[in-house]
Amino acid sequence: MEQRRPSYGLWVGVGILAVAVIVVLWILGTYNSLVAMDQAVQAQWANVQTQYQRRADLIPNLVNTVKGAANFEKSTYIAVAQARAQVGQISPAVVQNALRNPQAFAQYQHAQDTLGTALTHLLAVTENYPQLQANQDFLTLQAQLEGTENRIAVERRRYNLLAQAFDTRIQTAPTVFVVGLFGSRFASRPYFQASAGAQNVPNVNFSTP
């Protein structure tokens, strides 16, 4: 009895089904990898906020310490206190949505950079006050702030690297076609930018003379 061979149409149908399955699996794999990269960016964003909060928590003690120094420049620690207050006025919702809102991100960075600049100026001024340089509590705060500023820089740099990798991925073919299927789910992430003139700001030595 002659064996019937599968028709050409059947082979075409099987081929189309196989291609469809491959495409679906690729889309699912790409989606999952983008979710993982996005989660990594968000986790690193949380690390940046943690270090900023650590700095904010140290400032009240620092201000109280320098206020006790005779004839210390009042305007200097007032500027730090005001800058810290401005950071505190940024609502949690703004911070939470900053990764999806470049304007909110820029607002947050500007407030934090203003605080950092005021703090750097205050610590530079303290070098003119020997009684502070001999105060162990003040020296401990200096060391803690130095470590925190270093960690802020590291965490910001790590965030930028992850955000750049994510943005490169979503803008590169063929991934860009998958991104288009999910609307704003995978929007570009903003970066931390150097403050204007930051390259001209001298480094402050936090160590004891």
Side-chain angles (χ1 to χ4, degrees), residues 123-158:
L123 291 171
V125 169
T126 62
E127 295 180 355
N128 300 322
Y129 294 83
Q131 66 269 43
L132 284 175
Q133 299 301 321
N135 184 319
Q136 188 57 51
D137 290 339
F138 174 75
L139 296 178
T140 299
L141 286 168
Q142 270 193 323
Q144 291 176 337
L145 283 165
E146 179 186 27
T148 301
E149 290 295 338
N150 289 337
R151 283 190 287 271
I152 288 172
V154 169
E155 299 299 348
R156 281 175 47 146
R157 184 162 58 249
R158 288 174 178 170

mmCIF file of all heavy atoms in Angstrom, residues 123-158:
data_model
loop_
_atom_site.group_PDB
_atom_site.id
_atom_site.type_symbol
_atom_site.label_atom_id
_atom_site.label_comp_id
_atom_site.label_asym_id
_atom_site.label_seq_id
_atom_site.Cartn_x
_atom_site.Cartn_y
_atom_site.Cartn_z
ATOM 1 N N LEU A 123 32.564 73.091 55.245
ATOM 2 C CA LEU A 123 33.721 72.332 55.715
ATOM 3 C C LEU A 123 35.029 73.028 55.360
ATOM 4 O O LEU A 123 36.023 72.926 56.094
ATOM 5 C CB LEU A 123 33.680 70.921 55.125
ATOM 6 C CG LEU A 123 32.558 70.038 55.672
ATOM 7 C CD1 LEU A 123 32.450 68.742 54.880
ATOM 8 C CD2 LEU A 123 32.788 69.742 57.150
ATOM 9 N N ALA A 124 35.040 73.748 54.241
ATOM 10 C CA ALA A 124 36.235 74.505 53.892
ATOM 11 C C ALA A 124 36.463 75.645 54.880
ATOM 12 O O ALA A 124 37.596 75.919 55.290
ATOM 13 C CB ALA A 124 36.106 75.048 52.474
ATOM 14 N N VAL A 125 35.369 76.285 55.286
ATOM 15 C CA VAL A 125 35.466 77.398 56.233
ATOM 16 C C VAL A 125 35.975 76.930 57.597
ATOM 17 O O VAL A 125 36.708 77.647 58.286
ATOM 18 C CB VAL A 125 34.091 78.094 56.383
ATOM 19 C CG1 VAL A 125 34.088 79.075 57.551
ATOM 20 C CG2 VAL A 125 33.727 78.826 55.085
ATOM 21 N N THR A 126 35.595 75.709 57.992
ATOM 22 C CA THR A 126 35.992 75.228 59.323
ATOM 23 C C THR A 126 37.499 75.112 59.488
ATOM 24 O O THR A 126 38.004 75.067 60.613
ATOM 25 C CB THR A 126 35.370 73.848 59.617
ATOM 26 O OG1 THR A 126 35.846 72.889 58.651
ATOM 27 C CG2 THR A 126 33.851 73.915 59.578
ATOM 28 N N GLU A 127 38.236 75.072 58.378
ATOM 29 C CA GLU A 127 39.694 74.985 58.479
ATOM 30 C C GLU A 127 40.284 76.234 59.132
ATOM 31 O O GLU A 127 41.428 76.220 59.593
ATOM 32 C CB GLU A 127 40.295 74.768 57.091
ATOM 33 C CG GLU A 127 39.905 73.429 56.471
ATOM 34 C CD GLU A 127 40.508 73.229 55.097
ATOM 35 O OE1 GLU A 127 41.165 74.179 54.592
ATOM 36 O OE2 GLU A 127 40.339 72.143 54.520
ATOM 37 N N ASN A 128 39.508 77.312 59.171
ATOM 38 C CA ASN A 128 39.981 78.557 59.790
ATOM 39 C C ASN A 128 39.702 78.609 61.295
ATOM 40 O O ASN A 128 39.972 79.637 61.919
ATOM 41 C CB ASN A 128 39.323 79.762 59.106
ATOM 42 C CG ASN A 128 39.644 79.840 57.627
ATOM 43 O OD1 ASN A 128 40.762 79.533 57.213
ATOM 44 N ND2 ASN A 128 38.678 80.250 56.822
ATOM 45 N N TYR A 129 39.147 77.527 61.836
ATOM 46 C CA TYR A 129 38.771 77.523 63.249
ATOM 47 C C TYR A 129 39.486 76.380 63.974
ATOM 48 O O TYR A 129 39.014 75.239 63.969
ATOM 49 C CB TYR A 129 37.246 77.392 63.390
ATOM 50 C CG TYR A 129 36.516 78.598 62.857
ATOM 51 C CD1 TYR A 129 36.241 78.719 61.492
ATOM 52 C CD2 TYR A 129 36.134 79.637 63.706
ATOM 53 C CE1 TYR A 129 35.593 79.837 60.984
ATOM 54 C CE2 TYR A 129 35.479 80.759 63.201
ATOM 55 C CZ TYR A 129 35.216 80.857 61.845
ATOM 56 O OH TYR A 129 34.586 81.977 61.344
ATOM 57 N N PRO A 130 40.614 76.678 64.591
ATOM 58 C CA PRO A 130 41.398 75.639 65.274
ATOM 59 C C PRO A 130 40.613 74.891 66.336
ATOM 60 O O PRO A 130 40.855 73.696 66.548
ATOM 61 C CB PRO A 130 42.553 76.439 65.902
ATOM 62 C CG PRO A 130 42.652 77.673 65.075
ATOM 63 C CD PRO A 130 41.256 77.998 64.660
ATOM 64 N N GLN A 131 39.682 75.584 67.011
ATOM 65 C CA GLN A 131 38.930 74.899 68.060
ATOM 66 C C GLN A 131 38.067 73.776 67.498
ATOM 67 O O GLN A 131 37.824 72.761 68.173
ATOM 68 C CB GLN A 131 38.068 75.886 68.862
ATOM 69 C CG GLN A 131 36.927 76.552 68.111
ATOM 70 C CD GLN A 131 37.334 77.861 67.463
ATOM 71 O OE1 GLN A 131 38.411 77.945 66.866
ATOM 72 N NE2 GLN A 131 36.484 78.885 67.594
ATOM 73 N N LEU A 132 37.603 73.939 66.249
ATOM 74 C CA LEU A 132 36.840 72.865 65.621
ATOM 75 C C LEU A 132 37.767 71.720 65.210
ATOM 76 O O LEU A 132 37.418 70.550 65.343
ATOM 77 C CB LEU A 132 36.099 73.397 64.391
ATOM 78 C CG LEU A 132 34.844 74.224 64.666
ATOM 79 C CD1 LEU A 132 34.283 74.787 63.362
ATOM 80 C CD2 LEU A 132 33.768 73.381 65.363
ATOM 81 N N GLN A 133 38.928 72.066 64.707
ATOM 82 C CA GLN A 133 39.880 71.047 64.289
ATOM 83 C C GLN A 133 40.401 70.238 65.473
ATOM 84 O O GLN A 133 40.974 69.157 65.291
ATOM 85 C CB GLN A 133 41.042 71.693 63.533
ATOM 86 C CG GLN A 133 40.647 72.423 62.263
ATOM 87 C CD GLN A 133 39.947 71.507 61.263
ATOM 88 O OE1 GLN A 133 40.318 70.350 61.108
ATOM 89 N NE2 GLN A 133 38.925 72.031 60.588
ATOM 90 N N ALA A 134 40.210 70.754 66.683
ATOM 91 C CA ALA A 134 40.617 70.038 67.892
ATOM 92 C C ALA A 134 39.431 69.359 68.569
ATOM 93 O O ALA A 134 39.612 68.701 69.606
ATOM 94 C CB ALA A 134 41.287 71.007 68.872
ATOM 95 N N ASN A 135 38.238 69.493 67.992
ATOM 96 C CA ASN A 135 37.021 68.922 68.570
ATOM 97 C C ASN A 135 36.812 67.510 68.005
ATOM 98 O O ASN A 135 36.575 67.339 66.808
ATOM 99 C CB ASN A 135 35.828 69.821 68.232
ATOM 100 C CG ASN A 135 34.539 69.354 68.865
ATOM 101 O OD1 ASN A 135 34.242 68.175 68.914
ATOM 102 N ND2 ASN A 135 33.750 70.310 69.348
ATOM 103 N N GLN A 136 36.877 66.507 68.873
ATOM 104 C CA GLN A 136 36.790 65.126 68.406
ATOM 105 C C GLN A 136 35.440 64.813 67.776
ATOM 106 O O GLN A 136 35.359 64.076 66.787
ATOM 107 C CB GLN A 136 37.070 64.159 69.554
ATOM 108 C CG GLN A 136 37.188 62.699 69.109
ATOM 109 C CD GLN A 136 38.268 62.502 68.048
ATOM 110 O OE1 GLN A 136 39.419 62.940 68.214
ATOM 111 N NE2 GLN A 136 37.916 61.873 66.936
ATOM 112 N N ASP A 137 34.369 65.370 68.329
ATOM 113 C CA ASP A 137 33.045 65.144 67.746
ATOM 114 C C ASP A 137 32.978 65.683 66.324
ATOM 115 O O ASP A 137 32.418 65.043 65.426
ATOM 116 C CB ASP A 137 31.961 65.808 68.598
ATOM 117 C CG ASP A 137 31.761 65.104 69.933
ATOM 118 O OD1 ASP A 137 32.147 63.923 70.034
ATOM 119 O OD2 ASP A 137 31.241 65.741 70.870
ATOM 120 N N PHE A 138 33.550 66.865 66.142
ATOM 121 C CA PHE A 138 33.548 67.467 64.806
ATOM 122 C C PHE A 138 34.386 66.629 63.843
ATOM 123 O O PHE A 138 33.986 66.398 62.702
ATOM 124 C CB PHE A 138 34.096 68.890 64.870
ATOM 125 C CG PHE A 138 34.254 69.519 63.518
ATOM 126 C CD1 PHE A 138 33.152 69.974 62.821
ATOM 127 C CD2 PHE A 138 35.510 69.634 62.924
ATOM 128 C CE1 PHE A 138 33.280 70.536 61.562
ATOM 129 C CE2 PHE A 138 35.645 70.187 61.670
ATOM 130 C CZ PHE A 138 34.533 70.650 60.985
ATOM 131 N N LEU A 139 35.547 66.178 64.281
ATOM 132 C CA LEU A 139 36.413 65.373 63.417
ATOM 133 C C LEU A 139 35.736 64.061 63.028
ATOM 134 O O LEU A 139 35.882 63.586 61.893
ATOM 135 C CB LEU A 139 37.738 65.097 64.117
ATOM 136 C CG LEU A 139 38.609 66.327 64.406
ATOM 137 C CD1 LEU A 139 39.876 65.914 65.155
ATOM 138 C CD2 LEU A 139 38.950 67.065 63.119
ATOM 139 N N THR A 140 34.978 63.489 63.956
ATOM 140 C CA THR A 140 34.241 62.260 63.646
ATOM 141 C C THR A 140 33.186 62.521 62.580
ATOM 142 O O THR A 140 33.017 61.733 61.638
ATOM 143 C CB THR A 140 33.572 61.704 64.915
ATOM 144 O OG1 THR A 140 34.587 61.385 65.878
ATOM 145 C CG2 THR A 140 32.773 60.449 64.600
ATOM 146 N N LEU A 141 32.480 63.649 62.719
ATOM 147 C CA LEU A 141 31.480 64.008 61.708
ATOM 148 C C LEU A 141 32.124 64.256 60.358
ATOM 149 O O LEU A 141 31.581 63.868 59.315
ATOM 150 C CB LEU A 141 30.709 65.249 62.168
ATOM 151 C CG LEU A 141 29.690 65.041 63.287
ATOM 152 C CD1 LEU A 141 29.217 66.384 63.836
ATOM 153 C CD2 LEU A 141 28.504 64.223 62.779
ATOM 154 N N GLN A 142 33.268 64.909 60.356
ATOM 155 C CA GLN A 142 33.999 65.133 59.103
ATOM 156 C C GLN A 142 34.292 63.818 58.405
ATOM 157 O O GLN A 142 34.079 63.671 57.193
ATOM 158 C CB GLN A 142 35.318 65.858 59.386
ATOM 159 C CG GLN A 142 35.235 67.371 59.343
ATOM 160 C CD GLN A 142 36.625 67.976 59.309
ATOM 161 O OE1 GLN A 142 37.549 67.481 59.953
ATOM 162 N NE2 GLN A 142 36.778 69.048 58.588
ATOM 163 N N ALA A 143 34.817 62.873 59.173
ATOM 164 C CA ALA A 143 35.178 61.579 58.596
ATOM 165 C C ALA A 143 33.941 60.857 58.050
ATOM 166 O O ALA A 143 33.984 60.250 56.968
ATOM 167 C CB ALA A 143 35.877 60.724 59.648
ATOM 168 N N GLN A 144 32.849 60.921 58.793
ATOM 169 C CA GLN A 144 31.620 60.273 58.343
ATOM 170 C C GLN A 144 31.084 60.919 57.073
ATOM 171 O O GLN A 144 30.612 60.226 56.150
ATOM 172 C CB GLN A 144 30.569 60.332 59.456
ATOM 173 C CG GLN A 144 30.897 59.453 60.652
ATOM 174 C CD GLN A 144 29.891 59.610 61.779
ATOM 175 O OE1 GLN A 144 29.205 60.633 61.888
ATOM 176 N NE2 GLN A 144 29.801 58.611 62.631
ATOM 177 N N LEU A 145 31.158 62.246 57.014
ATOM 178 C CA LEU A 145 30.684 62.953 55.820
ATOM 179 C C LEU A 145 31.579 62.672 54.622
ATOM 180 O O LEU A 145 31.086 62.537 53.497
ATOM 181 C CB LEU A 145 30.611 64.456 56.099
ATOM 182 C CG LEU A 145 29.399 64.891 56.921
ATOM 183 C CD1 LEU A 145 29.584 66.301 57.463
ATOM 184 C CD2 LEU A 145 28.124 64.806 56.080
ATOM 185 N N GLU A 146 32.872 62.582 54.850
ATOM 186 C CA GLU A 146 33.784 62.259 53.761
ATOM 187 C C GLU A 146 33.442 60.894 53.175
ATOM 188 O O GLU A 146 33.350 60.724 51.955
ATOM 189 C CB GLU A 146 35.230 62.261 54.240
ATOM 190 C CG GLU A 146 36.219 61.908 53.125
ATOM 191 C CD GLU A 146 37.639 61.762 53.637
ATOM 192 O OE1 GLU A 146 37.806 61.419 54.822
ATOM 193 O OE2 GLU A 146 38.571 61.984 52.855
ATOM 194 N N GLY A 147 33.238 59.913 54.065
ATOM 195 C CA GLY A 147 32.871 58.589 53.593
ATOM 196 C C GLY A 147 31.543 58.590 52.863
ATOM 197 O O GLY A 147 31.385 57.913 51.831
ATOM 198 N N THR A 148 30.591 59.360 53.358
ATOM 199 C CA THR A 148 29.282 59.428 52.719
ATOM 200 C C THR A 148 29.366 60.076 51.346
ATOM 201 O O THR A 148 28.737 59.602 50.384
ATOM 202 C CB THR A 148 28.290 60.207 53.606
ATOM 203 O OG1 THR A 148 28.177 59.556 54.868
ATOM 204 C CG2 THR A 148 26.910 60.264 52.958
ATOM 205 N N GLU A 149 30.127 61.156 51.222
ATOM 206 C CA GLU A 149 30.280 61.816 49.924
ATOM 207 C C GLU A 149 30.921 60.872 48.914
ATOM 208 O O GLU A 149 30.534 60.844 47.740
ATOM 209 C CB GLU A 149 31.133 63.081 50.069
ATOM 210 C CG GLU A 149 30.448 64.211 50.823
ATOM 211 C CD GLU A 149 29.230 64.758 50.109
ATOM 212 O OE1 GLU A 149 29.124 64.596 48.881
ATOM 213 O OE2 GLU A 149 28.366 65.348 50.783
ATOM 214 N N ASN A 150 31.889 60.090 49.367
ATOM 215 C CA ASN A 150 32.514 59.114 48.471
ATOM 216 C C ASN A 150 31.509 58.061 48.027
ATOM 217 O O ASN A 150 31.468 57.676 46.846
ATOM 218 C CB ASN A 150 33.705 58.446 49.167
ATOM 219 C CG ASN A 150 34.882 59.387 49.331
ATOM 220 O OD1 ASN A 150 35.009 60.360 48.608
ATOM 221 N ND2 ASN A 150 35.740 59.096 50.298
ATOM 222 N N ARG A 151 30.689 57.587 48.974
ATOM 223 C CA ARG A 151 29.691 56.573 48.624
ATOM 224 C C ARG A 151 28.629 57.144 47.693
ATOM 225 O O ARG A 151 28.140 56.442 46.798
ATOM 226 C CB ARG A 151 29.054 56.009 49.899
ATOM 227 C CG ARG A 151 29.941 55.002 50.633
ATOM 228 C CD ARG A 151 29.178 54.295 51.742
ATOM 229 N NE ARG A 151 28.953 55.178 52.876
ATOM 230 C CZ ARG A 151 29.784 55.321 53.900
ATOM 231 N NH1 ARG A 151 30.934 54.664 53.909
ATOM 232 N NH2 ARG A 151 29.509 56.131 54.900
ATOM 233 N N ILE A 152 28.258 58.403 47.893
ATOM 234 C CA ILE A 152 27.303 59.039 46.982
ATOM 235 C C ILE A 152 27.847 59.040 45.562
ATOM 236 O O ILE A 152 27.147 58.697 44.604
ATOM 237 C CB ILE A 152 26.980 60.477 47.448
ATOM 238 C CG1 ILE A 152 26.100 60.453 48.699
ATOM 239 C CG2 ILE A 152 26.276 61.270 46.337
ATOM 240 C CD1 ILE A 152 25.885 61.812 49.326
ATOM 241 N N ALA A 153 29.112 59.431 45.431
ATOM 242 C CA ALA A 153 29.733 59.475 44.103
ATOM 243 C C ALA A 153 29.760 58.085 43.465
ATOM 244 O O ALA A 153 29.479 57.919 42.268
ATOM 245 C CB ALA A 153 31.149 60.039 44.212
ATOM 246 N N VAL A 154 30.095 57.073 44.258
ATOM 247 C CA VAL A 154 30.158 55.706 43.747
ATOM 248 C C VAL A 154 28.774 55.221 43.320
ATOM 249 O O VAL A 154 28.611 54.660 42.227
ATOM 250 C CB VAL A 154 30.749 54.753 44.811
ATOM 251 C CG1 VAL A 154 30.566 53.289 44.390
ATOM 252 C CG2 VAL A 154 32.226 55.050 45.020
ATOM 253 N N GLU A 155 27.771 55.444 44.162
ATOM 254 C CA GLU A 155 26.427 54.967 43.859
ATOM 255 C C GLU A 155 25.830 55.695 42.660
ATOM 256 O O GLU A 155 25.120 55.099 41.851
ATOM 257 C CB GLU A 155 25.509 55.114 45.081
ATOM 258 C CG GLU A 155 25.944 54.326 46.305
ATOM 259 C CD GLU A 155 26.010 52.829 46.090
ATOM 260 O OE1 GLU A 155 25.511 52.342 45.053
ATOM 261 O OE2 GLU A 155 26.553 52.122 46.951
ATOM 262 N N ARG A 156 26.117 56.982 42.545
ATOM 263 C CA ARG A 156 25.653 57.728 41.367
ATOM 264 C C ARG A 156 26.293 57.187 40.095
ATOM 265 O O ARG A 156 25.634 57.046 39.058
ATOM 266 C CB ARG A 156 25.948 59.224 41.524
ATOM 267 C CG ARG A 156 24.969 59.951 42.407
ATOM 268 C CD ARG A 156 25.318 61.398 42.663
ATOM 269 N NE ARG A 156 25.693 62.155 41.473
ATOM 270 C CZ ARG A 156 25.416 63.450 41.309
ATOM 271 N NH1 ARG A 156 24.736 64.109 42.239
ATOM 272 N NH2 ARG A 156 25.808 64.085 40.232
ATOM 273 N N ARG A 157 27.587 56.905 40.172
ATOM 274 C CA ARG A 157 28.286 56.377 39.000
ATOM 275 C C ARG A 157 27.720 55.006 38.613
ATOM 276 O O ARG A 157 27.510 54.724 37.425
ATOM 277 C CB ARG A 157 29.776 56.278 39.287
ATOM 278 C CG ARG A 157 30.610 55.815 38.091
ATOM 279 C CD ARG A 157 32.075 56.140 38.283
ATOM 280 N NE ARG A 157 32.612 55.529 39.501
ATOM 281 C CZ ARG A 157 32.972 56.209 40.574
ATOM 282 N NH1 ARG A 157 32.853 57.519 40.606
ATOM 283 N NH2 ARG A 157 33.467 55.592 41.635
ATOM 284 N N ARG A 158 27.458 54.162 39.603
ATOM 285 C CA ARG A 158 26.873 52.853 39.315
ATOM 286 C C ARG A 158 25.484 52.989 38.712
ATOM 287 O O ARG A 158 25.124 52.242 37.784
ATOM 288 C CB ARG A 158 26.811 52.024 40.603
ATOM 289 C CG ARG A 158 28.164 51.534 41.094
ATOM 290 C CD ARG A 158 28.046 50.840 42.441
ATOM 291 N NE ARG A 158 29.326 50.320 42.886
ATOM 292 C CZ ARG A 158 29.553 49.839 44.104
ATOM 293 N NH1 ARG A 158 28.566 49.823 45.003
ATOM 294 N NH2 ARG A 158 30.751 49.374 44.438
#
